[in-house]
């Protein structure tokens, strides 16, 4: 009976040690990611933490004020993308269909000779006034972005301004995407 309680205490001590090490690693990675403040560590300690966690927290986050890409079908007035993935039609992220579309849009390489047009009004109106600038190929096997597309690069309206009728400046481009498997 004595050996059993000794084994239980060893397992408990081992578990607590592992939990303490992981907690220290978690908080160290958070402190290293923060800007300089009274809790900041030395450069040597920061270097050691980055040896264990080289990616940092940037992998999990994205600047919310960065430009976002959208694609609109110009043959019908529909949004071609299933973004963001937390929409009801994506079953709040369970349907992964929309996740592949970002990669698909990236693989449909836009020629560097194409110029984005700045748009100070609603992006769909700017796209309606434009002509197709180029034909590009979509090499993905199960392509969902095909045909006459309007591509918009723009920032979101900040939540604090959502009650006002603010139309952010965006950049637009109109292309004809040819799919290889259709």
């Amino acid at each position: 009976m004595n050996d059993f309680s000794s084994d239980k205490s060893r397992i408990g001590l081992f578990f607590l040690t592992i939990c303490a090490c992981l907690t220290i690693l978690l908080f160290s990675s958070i402190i290293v990611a923060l800007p300089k403040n009274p809790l900041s560590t030395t450069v040597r300690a920061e270097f050691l933490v980055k040896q264990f966690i080289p990616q940092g927290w940037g992998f999990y986050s994205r600047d919310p004020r960065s430009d976002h890409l959208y694609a609109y079908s110009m043959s019908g007035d529909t949004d071609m993308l299933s973004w963001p993935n937390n929409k009801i039609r994506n079953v709040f992220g369970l349907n992964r269909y929309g996740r592949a579309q970002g990669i698909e849009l990236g693989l449909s390489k836009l020629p560097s000779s194409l110029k984005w047009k700045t748009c100070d009004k609603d992006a769909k109106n700017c796209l309606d006034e434009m002509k197709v600038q180029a034909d590009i190929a979509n090499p993905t096997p199960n392509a969902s972005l095909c045909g006459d597309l309007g591509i918009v690069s723009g920032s979101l309206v900040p939540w604090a301004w959502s009650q006002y009728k603010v139309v952010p400046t965006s950049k637009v481009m109109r292309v004809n995407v040819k799919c290889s498997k259709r």
Side-chain angles (χ1 to χ4, degrees):
M1 196 72 150
N2 196 11
D3 290 335
F4 182 70
S5 63
S6 173
D7 287 343
K8 272 181 97 174
S9 64
R10 284 184 190 169
I11 291 172
L13 183 61
F14 177 74
F15 178 74
L16 286 175
T17 304
I18 295 295
C19 288
C21 290
L22 290 176
T23 302
I24 290 169
L25 187 63
L26 174 71
F27 284 115
S28 298
S29 70
I30 291 171
I31 289 171
V32 166
L34 293 173
K36 297 297 178 199
N37 62 57
L39 296 176
S40 295
T41 59
T42 63
V43 175
R44 181 177 166 83
E46 188 174 321
F47 177 76
L48 286 172
V49 171
K50 287 186 179 181
Q51 291 295 312
F52 286 103
I53 308 172
Q55 184 69 41
W57 292 97
F59 179 77
Y60 299 104
S61 60
R62 175 182 167 177
D63 182 10
R65 295 189 179 174
S66 64
D67 286 349
H68 296 267
L69 279 178
Y70 302 97
Y72 297 99
S73 172
M74 299 310 294
S75 56
D77 195 27
T78 59
D79 184 2
M80 293 289 290
L81 301 175
S82 293
W83 297 341
N85 205 39
N86 62 357
K87 289 182 178 178
I88 293 174
R89 71 177 174 186
N90 289 328
V91 196
F92 299 107
L94 294 177
N95 183 355
R96 296 180 289 179
Y97 178 76
R99 295 182 200 174
Q101 289 182 316
I103 296 168
E104 185 178 339
L105 190 58
L107 287 175
S108 304
K109 295 180 181 170
L110 300 171
S112 58
S113 60
L114 291 179
K115 301 292 182 205
W116 291 90
K117 179 184 172 192
T118 303
C119 180
D120 294 328
K121 54 186 176 183
D122 183 45
K124 289 182 183 179
N125 291 339
C126 289
L127 289 168
D128 286 336
E129 296 170 1
M130 292 179 72
K131 293 185 178 176
V132 173
Q133 292 175 273
D135 290 330
I136 59 174
N138 185 343
T140 56
N142 296 318
S144 64
L145 302 176
C146 302
D148 189 3
L149 296 182
I151 301 174
V152 179
S153 173
S155 60
L156 298 173
V157 175
W159 181 81
W161 299 354
S162 63
Q163 63 187 356
Y164 306 109
K165 299 223 179 218
V166 177
V167 178
T169 301
S170 58
K171 295 180 274 183
V172 295
M173 180 183 299
R174 192 164 170 180
V175 293
N176 185 29
V177 180
K178 296 182 180 181
C179 295
S180 57
K181 298 288 182 179
R182 282 194 180 176

